[in-house]
Protein backbone atom coordinates (compact mmCIF):
# COMPACT_ATOMS: atom_id res chain seq x y z
CA UNK A 1 0.00 0.00 0.00
CA UNK A 2 1.20 3.51 -0.79
CA UNK A 3 1.61 6.11 1.94
CA UNK A 4 -1.16 8.18 0.31
CA UNK A 5 -3.61 5.48 1.43
CA UNK A 6 -2.45 5.73 5.05
CA UNK A 7 -4.32 7.74 7.69
CA UNK A 8 -2.30 9.30 10.51
CA UNK A 9 -4.14 9.55 13.83
CA UNK A 10 -2.76 11.80 16.56
CA UNK A 11 -4.15 10.50 19.85
CA UNK A 12 -4.89 7.00 21.12
CA UNK A 13 -7.87 7.79 23.31
CA UNK A 14 -11.35 6.41 22.68
CA UNK A 15 -12.01 8.73 19.72
CA UNK A 16 -8.70 8.01 18.02
CA UNK A 17 -8.92 4.25 18.50
CA UNK A 18 -12.57 4.17 17.36
CA UNK A 19 -11.52 5.97 14.17
CA UNK A 20 -8.63 3.55 13.69
CA UNK A 21 -10.90 0.52 14.08
CA UNK A 22 -13.42 1.84 11.55
CA UNK A 23 -10.68 2.59 9.03
CA UNK A 24 -9.10 -0.81 9.62
CA UNK A 25 -12.45 -2.49 8.89
CA UNK A 26 -12.19 -0.97 5.41
CA UNK A 27 -8.57 -2.13 5.06
CA UNK A 28 -7.18 1.39 5.26
CA UNK A 29 -3.74 1.42 6.94
CA UNK A 30 -3.39 3.61 10.02
CA UNK A 31 -0.57 5.04 12.07
CA UNK A 32 -1.65 5.96 15.60
CA UNK A 33 0.61 8.38 17.47
CA UNK A 34 0.19 8.75 21.23
CA UNK A 35 2.22 11.09 23.42
CA UNK A 36 1.58 9.13 26.65
CA UNK A 37 3.15 5.78 27.59
CA UNK A 38 -0.31 4.16 27.77
CA UNK A 39 -3.39 4.07 25.58
CA UNK A 40 -6.74 5.52 26.58
CA UNK A 41 -6.36 9.29 26.90
CA UNK A 42 -8.54 10.59 29.75
CA UNK A 43 -10.18 7.15 30.14
CA UNK A 44 -7.20 4.92 30.71
CA UNK A 45 -5.93 2.37 33.20
CA UNK A 46 -3.17 3.24 35.64
CA UNK A 47 -1.09 0.91 37.82
CA UNK A 48 -0.71 1.93 41.46
CA UNK A 49 1.03 -0.40 43.91
CA UNK A 50 0.31 -3.43 41.70
CA UNK A 51 -3.40 -2.49 41.59
CA UNK A 52 -5.07 -1.64 38.29
CA UNK A 53 -7.25 1.44 38.71
CA UNK A 54 -8.94 3.57 36.09
CA UNK A 55 -8.01 7.20 35.62
CA UNK A 56 -11.57 7.88 36.71
CA UNK A 57 -14.60 5.74 37.46
CA UNK A 58 -16.79 5.61 34.34
CA UNK A 59 -20.37 4.54 33.79
CA UNK A 60 -22.03 3.68 30.49
CA UNK A 61 -25.73 3.39 29.69
CA UNK A 62 -27.71 1.18 27.36
CA UNK A 63 -28.21 4.07 24.92
CA UNK A 64 -24.49 3.99 24.08
CA UNK A 65 -25.26 1.98 20.96
CA UNK A 66 -22.15 2.97 19.03
CA UNK A 67 -19.82 1.94 21.85
CA UNK A 68 -21.63 -1.38 22.25
CA UNK A 69 -21.48 -1.97 18.50
CA UNK A 70 -17.74 -1.36 18.36
CA UNK A 71 -17.12 -3.61 21.38
CA UNK A 72 -19.05 -6.39 19.65
CA UNK A 73 -17.07 -5.91 16.42
CA UNK A 74 -13.88 -6.43 18.43
CA UNK A 75 -15.25 -9.77 19.60
CA UNK A 76 -15.88 -8.64 23.18
CA UNK A 77 -18.95 -10.11 24.85
CA UNK A 78 -20.95 -7.51 26.74
CA UNK A 79 -21.66 -9.78 29.71
CA UNK A 80 -17.93 -10.41 30.18
CA UNK A 81 -16.79 -6.79 30.13
CA UNK A 82 -19.86 -4.88 31.36
CA UNK A 83 -22.28 -5.39 34.24
CA UNK A 84 -25.78 -4.40 33.09
CA UNK A 85 -28.41 -3.27 35.61
CA UNK A 86 -31.89 -1.89 34.89
CA UNK A 87 -32.05 1.77 35.85
CA UNK A 88 -31.98 2.16 39.60
CA UNK A 89 -30.79 5.33 41.28
CA UNK A 90 -30.55 5.46 45.03
CA UNK A 91 -29.38 8.66 46.72
CA UNK A 92 -28.58 8.86 50.42
CA UNK A 93 -28.22 12.05 52.42
CA UNK A 94 -28.62 13.71 55.79
CA UNK A 95 -32.11 14.86 54.78
CA UNK A 96 -33.30 11.37 53.86
CA UNK A 97 -33.07 9.07 50.88
CA UNK A 98 -34.43 9.01 47.35
CA UNK A 99 -34.77 6.09 44.96
CA UNK A 100 -36.17 5.50 41.52
CA UNK A 101 -36.30 2.27 39.52
CA UNK A 102 -37.45 1.86 35.94
CA UNK A 103 -39.83 -0.99 35.19
CA UNK A 104 -39.71 -3.43 32.28
CA UNK A 105 -42.57 -1.65 30.55
CA UNK A 106 -41.89 -0.28 27.05
CA UNK A 107 -40.28 3.17 26.91
CA UNK A 108 -41.26 5.76 27.96
CA UNK A 109 -43.76 4.02 30.27
CA UNK A 110 -40.86 2.46 32.20
CA UNK A 111 -39.81 5.95 33.32
CA UNK A 112 -43.41 6.97 34.06
CA UNK A 113 -43.75 4.00 36.38
CA UNK A 114 -40.38 4.82 37.91
CA UNK A 115 -41.45 8.36 38.71
CA UNK A 116 -44.81 7.25 40.11
CA UNK A 117 -43.16 4.69 42.38
CA UNK A 118 -40.16 6.84 43.35
CA UNK A 119 -39.45 7.10 47.06
CA UNK A 120 -38.35 10.21 48.91
CA UNK A 121 -40.36 12.83 47.01
CA UNK A 122 -43.88 14.16 47.47
CA UNK A 123 -46.88 13.35 45.25
CA UNK A 124 -46.72 16.94 43.98
CA UNK A 125 -43.08 16.43 42.91
CA UNK A 126 -44.08 13.27 41.07
CA UNK A 127 -46.88 15.09 39.25
CA UNK A 128 -44.60 17.94 38.15
CA UNK A 129 -41.94 15.45 37.01
CA UNK A 130 -44.51 13.56 34.92
CA UNK A 131 -45.83 16.77 33.39
CA UNK A 132 -42.30 17.82 32.49
CA UNK A 133 -41.55 14.44 30.91
CA UNK A 134 -44.75 14.58 28.83
CA UNK A 135 -44.14 18.17 27.75
CA UNK A 136 -40.58 17.45 26.66
CA UNK A 137 -41.64 14.33 24.76
CA UNK A 138 -44.39 16.21 22.89
CA UNK A 139 -41.84 18.83 21.83
CA UNK A 140 -39.38 16.19 20.65
CA UNK A 141 -36.97 17.08 23.46
CA UNK A 142 -36.09 20.29 21.63
CA UNK A 143 -35.91 23.92 22.68
CA UNK A 144 -36.29 27.00 20.51
CA UNK A 145 -33.37 28.54 22.35
CA UNK A 146 -30.81 26.96 24.64
CA UNK A 147 -31.13 27.69 28.36
CA UNK A 148 -29.50 26.28 31.47
CA UNK A 149 -30.71 23.03 32.96
CA UNK A 150 -31.54 24.96 36.14
CA UNK A 151 -33.79 27.30 34.14
CA UNK A 152 -35.44 24.35 32.39
CA UNK A 153 -36.23 22.68 35.70
CA UNK A 154 -37.55 25.92 37.14
CA UNK A 155 -39.74 26.43 34.06
CA UNK A 156 -41.31 23.02 34.71
CA UNK A 157 -41.73 23.63 38.46
CA UNK A 158 -39.50 20.83 39.63
CA UNK A 159 -39.38 20.70 43.43
CA UNK A 160 -36.15 21.31 45.31
CA UNK A 161 -36.02 17.77 46.71
CA UNK A 162 -36.41 16.25 43.23
CA UNK A 163 -33.83 18.62 41.76
CA UNK A 164 -31.34 17.90 44.53
CA UNK A 165 -31.83 14.12 44.58
CA UNK A 166 -32.49 13.31 40.92
CA UNK A 167 -31.98 16.01 38.32
CA UNK A 168 -28.78 17.49 39.72
CA UNK A 169 -26.94 14.13 40.08
CA UNK A 170 -28.14 13.13 36.61
CA UNK A 171 -26.93 16.41 35.09
CA UNK A 172 -23.52 16.24 36.76
CA UNK A 173 -23.06 12.60 35.80
CA UNK A 174 -23.83 13.20 32.13
CA UNK A 175 -22.69 16.77 31.41
CA UNK A 176 -20.08 17.26 34.16
CA UNK A 177 -21.25 20.86 34.43
CA UNK A 178 -23.22 22.54 37.27
CA UNK A 179 -26.98 22.97 36.79
CA UNK A 180 -26.90 26.75 36.46
CA UNK A 181 -24.34 26.55 33.65
CA UNK A 182 -25.24 23.28 31.90
CA UNK A 183 -26.82 23.28 28.44
CA UNK A 184 -30.43 22.12 28.50
CA UNK A 185 -30.21 21.33 24.76
CA UNK A 186 -27.48 18.74 25.29
CA UNK A 187 -29.13 17.44 28.46
CA UNK A 188 -32.37 16.83 26.58
CA UNK A 189 -30.51 14.90 23.90
CA UNK A 190 -29.27 12.51 26.58
CA UNK A 191 -32.76 12.19 28.10
CA UNK A 192 -34.28 11.51 24.69
CA UNK A 193 -31.81 8.75 23.85
CA UNK A 194 -32.01 7.22 27.32
CA UNK A 195 -35.75 7.23 27.96
CA UNK A 196 -37.78 7.57 24.76
CA UNK A 197 -36.79 4.62 22.57
CA UNK A 198 -36.28 1.28 24.37
CA UNK A 199 -36.36 0.51 28.08
CA UNK A 200 -32.91 -1.12 27.86
CA UNK A 201 -31.46 2.22 26.74
CA UNK A 202 -31.70 3.49 30.32
CA UNK A 203 -29.86 0.47 31.76
CA UNK A 204 -26.68 1.18 33.69
CA UNK A 205 -23.53 -0.48 32.37
CA UNK A 206 -20.64 -0.66 34.82
CA UNK A 207 -17.25 -1.88 33.52
CA UNK A 208 -16.21 -5.29 34.85
CA UNK A 209 -12.67 -4.86 33.53
CA UNK A 210 -10.19 -1.96 33.57
CA UNK A 211 -10.98 0.73 31.01
CA UNK A 212 -7.83 -0.03 29.03
CA UNK A 213 -8.83 -3.64 28.50
CA UNK A 214 -12.43 -2.61 27.84
CA UNK A 215 -11.59 -0.56 24.78
CA UNK A 216 -8.25 0.93 23.74
CA UNK A 217 -5.98 -2.02 24.54
CA UNK A 218 -8.45 -4.39 22.90
CA UNK A 219 -8.57 -2.09 19.87
CA UNK A 220 -4.78 -2.11 19.67
CA UNK A 221 -4.86 -5.90 19.59
CA UNK A 222 -7.22 -5.78 16.60
CA UNK A 223 -5.06 -3.25 14.74
CA UNK A 224 -1.86 -5.20 15.31
CA UNK A 225 -3.28 -8.21 13.45
CA UNK A 226 -2.41 -6.39 10.22
CA UNK A 227 1.27 -5.57 9.64
CA UNK A 228 0.54 -2.35 7.77
CA UNK A 229 -0.89 -0.70 10.92
CA UNK A 230 1.47 1.14 13.26
CA UNK A 231 1.01 2.18 16.89
CA UNK A 232 3.59 4.49 18.44
CA UNK A 233 3.52 5.43 22.13
CA UNK A 234 5.54 8.25 23.69
CA UNK A 235 5.27 10.06 20.35
CA UNK A 236 4.03 13.64 20.67
CA UNK A 237 2.80 15.45 17.57
CA UNK A 238 4.24 18.98 17.66
CA UNK A 239 2.94 20.25 14.33
CA UNK A 240 1.05 19.40 11.15
CA UNK A 241 1.82 20.31 7.56
CA UNK A 242 0.32 19.82 4.12
CA UNK A 243 2.36 19.41 0.94
CA UNK A 244 1.55 17.93 -2.47
CA UNK A 245 -1.76 16.51 -1.27
CA UNK A 246 -0.16 14.72 1.70
CA UNK A 247 -0.52 15.46 5.41
CA UNK A 248 2.40 15.19 7.81
CA UNK A 249 2.51 14.91 11.58
CA UNK A 250 5.73 16.41 12.86
CA UNK A 251 7.47 14.79 15.83
CA UNK A 252 10.03 17.19 17.20
CA UNK A 253 12.54 18.66 14.75
CA UNK A 254 13.38 15.67 12.58
CA UNK A 255 10.75 12.90 12.54
CA UNK A 256 7.54 13.02 10.50
CA UNK A 257 4.70 10.58 9.76
CA UNK A 258 2.95 11.10 6.43
CA UNK A 259 -0.38 9.97 5.00
CA UNK A 260 -3.23 10.95 2.73
CA UNK A 261 -5.33 12.06 5.72
CA UNK A 262 -4.55 13.12 9.28
CA UNK A 263 -6.96 12.98 12.22
CA UNK A 264 -6.34 15.13 15.29
CA UNK A 265 -7.91 12.95 18.01
CA UNK A 266 -6.22 14.89 20.78
CA UNK A 267 -7.55 16.96 23.66
CA UNK A 268 -9.27 20.20 22.64
CA UNK A 269 -6.30 22.21 23.91
CA UNK A 270 -3.84 20.21 21.81
CA UNK A 271 -6.08 20.39 18.73
CA UNK A 272 -6.34 24.17 19.09
CA UNK A 273 -2.58 24.46 19.49
CA UNK A 274 -1.93 22.40 16.34
CA UNK A 275 -4.51 24.24 14.23
CA UNK A 276 -3.51 27.78 15.22
CA UNK A 277 -0.20 28.01 13.24
CA UNK A 278 -1.77 26.81 9.97
CA UNK A 279 -1.95 29.45 7.20
CA UNK A 280 -5.68 29.01 6.52
CA UNK A 281 -7.67 31.70 8.33
CA UNK A 282 -10.63 29.32 8.76
CA UNK A 283 -8.39 26.83 10.58
CA UNK A 284 -7.19 29.63 12.85
CA UNK A 285 -10.80 30.63 13.57
CA UNK A 286 -11.61 27.01 14.41
CA UNK A 287 -8.64 26.91 16.77
CA UNK A 288 -9.93 30.04 18.52
CA UNK A 289 -13.43 28.57 18.91
CA UNK A 290 -12.02 25.34 20.38
CA UNK A 291 -9.93 27.35 22.83
CA UNK A 292 -13.14 28.96 24.13
CA UNK A 293 -14.83 25.67 25.03
CA UNK A 294 -13.72 25.79 28.65
CA UNK A 295 -13.03 22.80 30.89
CA UNK A 296 -14.49 21.06 33.92
CA UNK A 297 -12.64 18.71 36.32
CA UNK A 298 -13.44 15.29 37.73
CA UNK A 299 -11.93 13.87 40.90
CA UNK A 300 -12.01 10.18 41.76
CA UNK A 301 -11.09 9.07 45.27
CA UNK A 302 -10.30 5.37 45.49
CA UNK A 303 -10.61 3.95 49.00
CA UNK A 304 -9.69 0.48 50.22
CA UNK A 305 -11.79 -0.90 53.08
CA UNK A 306 -11.05 -4.63 53.41
CA UNK A 307 -13.89 -5.11 55.94
CA UNK A 308 -16.55 -2.72 54.63
CA UNK A 309 -19.97 -4.21 53.86
CA UNK A 310 -21.09 -4.46 50.25
CA UNK A 311 -23.21 -1.58 49.06
CA UNK A 312 -26.91 -2.23 48.56
CA UNK A 313 -26.38 -1.43 44.87
CA UNK A 314 -23.17 -1.25 42.81
CA UNK A 315 -23.40 2.56 42.80
CA UNK A 316 -25.07 4.95 45.24
CA UNK A 317 -25.60 8.69 45.06
CA UNK A 318 -24.75 10.96 47.98
CA UNK A 319 -26.75 14.11 48.71
CA UNK A 320 -25.59 17.20 50.60
CA UNK A 321 -21.95 16.15 50.49
CA UNK A 322 -18.89 16.92 48.41
CA UNK A 323 -18.92 13.24 47.44
CA UNK A 324 -21.46 12.59 44.68
CA UNK A 325 -21.32 8.87 43.81
CA UNK A 326 -19.73 5.82 45.36
CA UNK A 327 -19.06 2.69 43.30
CA UNK A 328 -18.41 -0.76 44.74
CA UNK A 329 -15.47 -2.14 42.78
CA UNK A 330 -16.52 -5.74 43.52
CA UNK A 331 -18.11 -5.50 40.08
CA UNK A 332 -14.62 -5.66 38.57
CA UNK A 333 -13.27 -8.17 41.11
CA UNK A 334 -11.55 -5.56 43.27
CA UNK A 335 -13.08 -6.50 46.61
CA UNK A 336 -12.64 -3.86 49.27
CA UNK A 337 -12.02 -1.04 46.78
CA UNK A 338 -14.56 1.78 46.38
CA UNK A 339 -14.50 4.70 43.97
CA UNK A 340 -15.98 8.04 45.00
CA UNK A 341 -16.63 10.41 42.10
CA UNK A 342 -16.89 14.21 42.29
CA UNK A 343 -17.87 15.87 39.01
CA UNK A 344 -17.38 19.51 38.00
CA UNK A 345 -15.88 22.43 39.87
CA UNK A 346 -16.42 23.10 43.57
CA UNK A 347 -14.73 23.85 46.86
CA UNK A 348 -12.91 20.51 46.74
CA UNK A 349 -10.75 21.85 43.90
CA UNK A 350 -8.94 24.01 46.46
CA UNK A 351 -8.08 21.08 48.74
CA UNK A 352 -4.93 19.02 48.48
CA UNK A 353 -5.26 15.27 47.96
CA UNK A 354 -4.85 14.44 51.65
CA UNK A 355 -7.64 16.79 52.70
CA UNK A 356 -9.92 15.57 49.94
CA UNK A 357 -9.44 11.91 50.91
CA UNK A 358 -10.01 12.80 54.57
CA UNK A 359 -13.23 14.71 53.87
CA UNK A 360 -14.63 11.95 51.67
CA UNK A 361 -13.96 9.27 54.31
CA UNK A 362 -15.67 11.39 56.95
CA UNK A 363 -18.75 11.88 54.73
CA UNK A 364 -19.04 8.16 54.03
CA UNK A 365 -18.84 7.40 57.73
CA UNK A 366 -21.65 9.85 58.46
CA UNK A 367 -24.08 8.62 55.77
CA UNK A 368 -23.42 4.90 55.30
CA UNK A 369 -24.43 2.64 58.22
CA UNK A 370 -21.76 0.44 59.84
CA UNK A 371 -19.04 2.03 57.73
CA UNK A 372 -15.38 1.92 58.87
CA UNK A 373 -13.98 5.22 60.11
CA UNK A 374 -10.93 5.26 57.86
CA UNK A 375 -9.72 3.43 54.78
CA UNK A 376 -6.58 1.30 54.79
CA UNK A 377 -5.49 2.91 51.52
CA UNK A 378 -6.55 5.90 49.47
CA UNK A 379 -5.66 7.08 45.99
CA UNK A 380 -6.82 10.43 44.64
CA UNK A 381 -6.85 10.92 40.86
CA UNK A 382 -7.69 14.34 39.51
CA UNK A 383 -8.35 15.23 35.89
CA UNK A 384 -8.36 19.02 35.88
CA UNK A 385 -9.34 19.06 32.20
CA UNK A 386 -11.58 16.00 32.26
CA UNK A 387 -14.27 17.37 29.91
CA UNK A 388 -15.23 20.44 27.97
CA UNK A 389 -17.65 22.73 29.80
CA UNK A 390 -21.08 21.76 28.48
CA UNK A 391 -22.57 25.21 29.08
CA UNK A 392 -25.44 27.09 27.46
CA UNK A 393 -24.95 27.67 23.70
CA UNK A 394 -21.85 25.48 23.66
CA UNK A 395 -23.02 23.90 20.40
CA UNK A 396 -22.05 27.07 18.52
CA UNK A 397 -18.40 26.49 19.46
CA UNK A 398 -18.14 22.74 18.89
CA UNK A 399 -16.31 22.03 15.61
CA UNK A 400 -17.27 19.67 12.83
CA UNK A 401 -14.98 16.77 11.90
CA UNK A 402 -13.79 18.72 8.87
CA UNK A 403 -11.26 21.54 8.92
CA UNK A 404 -10.22 24.18 6.41
CA UNK A 405 -7.24 22.00 5.47
CA UNK A 406 -8.09 19.32 2.92
CA UNK A 407 -7.40 15.93 4.49
CA UNK A 408 -7.07 17.25 8.06
CA UNK A 409 -9.82 16.10 10.43
CA UNK A 410 -10.91 16.45 14.04
CA UNK A 411 -12.18 13.70 16.35
CA UNK A 412 -13.01 13.86 20.03
CA UNK A 413 -15.94 14.10 22.40
CA UNK A 414 -15.80 17.90 22.11
CA UNK A 415 -16.69 17.87 18.41
CA UNK A 416 -20.23 18.38 17.11
CA UNK A 417 -21.76 15.03 18.08
CA UNK A 418 -24.71 16.56 19.95
CA UNK A 419 -23.59 14.48 22.93
CA UNK A 420 -21.81 15.65 26.07
CA UNK A 421 -18.22 14.67 26.87
CA UNK A 422 -18.87 10.97 27.36
CA UNK A 423 -17.24 7.76 26.17
CA UNK A 424 -20.10 7.40 23.70
CA UNK A 425 -19.47 10.90 22.38
CA UNK A 426 -15.81 10.08 21.81
CA UNK A 427 -16.58 6.81 20.02
CA UNK A 428 -19.28 8.39 17.86
CA UNK A 429 -16.93 11.18 16.86
CA UNK A 430 -14.12 8.79 15.93
CA UNK A 431 -16.37 6.53 13.86
CA UNK A 432 -18.06 9.48 12.16
CA UNK A 433 -14.69 11.00 11.27
CA UNK A 434 -13.45 7.71 9.79
CA UNK A 435 -16.62 7.31 7.71
CA UNK A 436 -16.20 10.77 6.25
CA UNK A 437 -12.70 9.88 5.13
CA UNK A 438 -13.96 6.62 3.64
CA UNK A 439 -16.83 8.37 1.82
CA UNK A 440 -14.51 11.03 0.42
CA UNK A 441 -12.08 8.44 -0.88
CA UNK A 442 -14.87 6.39 -2.42
CA UNK A 443 -16.22 9.48 -4.19
CA UNK A 444 -12.82 10.05 -5.76
CA UNK A 445 -12.77 6.65 -7.47
Amino acid sequence: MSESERVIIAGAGWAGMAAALELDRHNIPVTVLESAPRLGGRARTVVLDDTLLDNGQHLLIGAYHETLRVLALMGLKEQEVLHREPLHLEVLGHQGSFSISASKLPAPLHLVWGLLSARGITPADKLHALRMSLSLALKGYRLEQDISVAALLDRHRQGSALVRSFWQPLCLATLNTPLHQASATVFLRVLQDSFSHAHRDSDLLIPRVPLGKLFCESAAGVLERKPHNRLCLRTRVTGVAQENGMLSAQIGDAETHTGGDLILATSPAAASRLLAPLPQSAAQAQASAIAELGVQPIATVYLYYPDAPALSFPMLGLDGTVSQWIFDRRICNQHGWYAVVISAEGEHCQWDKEQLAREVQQELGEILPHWPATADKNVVIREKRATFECRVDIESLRPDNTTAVDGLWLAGDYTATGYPATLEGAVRSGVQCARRIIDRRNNRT
Side-chain angles (χ1 to χ4, degrees), residues 26 47 52 102 109 116 147 326 379 387 410 416 419 422 443:
H26 290 79
V47 182
L52 291 177
L109 296 178
L116 288 174
I147 57 176
I326 178 171
V379 177
T387 69
L410 299 175
Y419 246 60
T422 57
N443 290 333

Side-chain angles (χ1 to χ4, degrees), residues 52 64 84 103 213 225 280 282 350 377 425-426 440:
L52 291 177
Y64 287 4
R84 181 183 283 264
S103 71
K213 184 177 179 181
R225 294 172 190 169
Q280 291 86 348
Q350 309 303 318
K377 302 177 186 177
R440 191 181 73 136

Side-chain angles (χ1 to χ4, degrees), residues 70-90:
V70 174
L71 292 177
L73 286 175
M74 287 193 290
L76 299 177
K77 296 180 179 180
E78 180 191 308
Q79 63 270 24
E80 294 180 358
V81 296
L82 295 170
H83 173 81
R84 181 183 283 264
E85 286 270 1
L87 175 66
H88 174 82
L89 296 179
E90 187 173 340

Side-chain angles (χ1 to χ4, degrees), residues 92 301-316 318 323 325-330 334-340 357-378:
L92 307 177
V301 181
Y302 287 101
L303 301 169
Y304 180 65
Y305 296 95
D307 301 321
L311 299 181
S312 57
F313 192 70
M315 56 172 282
L316 295 176
L318 301 172
S323 308
W325 298 96
I326 178 171
F327 290 78
D328 193 331
R329 299 279 293 180
R330 294 168 201 264
Q334 292 185 334
H335 295 266
W337 281 99
Y338 299 82
V340 176
R358 197 165 53 245
E359 293 285 344
V360 167
Q361 291 175 74
Q362 181 177 337
E363 289 177 345
L364 296 182
E366 292 173 352
I367 292 180
L368 297 174
H370 314 298
W371 201 255
T374 57
D376 284 22
K377 302 177 186 177
N378 73 79

Side-chain angles (χ1 to χ4, degrees), residues 171-244:
C171 178
L172 286 172
T174 54
L175 272 61
N176 195 45
T177 304
L179 281 176
H180 66 281
Q181 298 173 334
S183 165
T185 295
V186 180
F187 188 58
L188 291 181
R189 171 66 184 276
V190 176
L191 294 184
Q192 181 181 30
D193 285 2
S194 302
F195 299 120
S196 67
H197 300 305
H199 73 84
R200 282 173 60 85
D201 287 344
S202 61
D203 287 353
L204 306 178
L205 305 177
I206 304 173
R208 291 184 182 273
V209 298
L211 286 175
K213 184 177 179 181
L214 175 62
F215 193 81
C216 289
E217 291 172 17
S218 297
V222 172
L223 296 177
E224 289 168 350
R225 294 172 190 169
K226 297 179 181 177
H228 58 231
N229 292 327
R230 304 167 189 163
L231 180 58
C232 308
L233 299 177
R234 295 185 173 89
T235 306
R236 182 179 297 277
V237 175
T238 55
V240 298
Q242 182 187 43
E243 186 175 359
N244 298 325

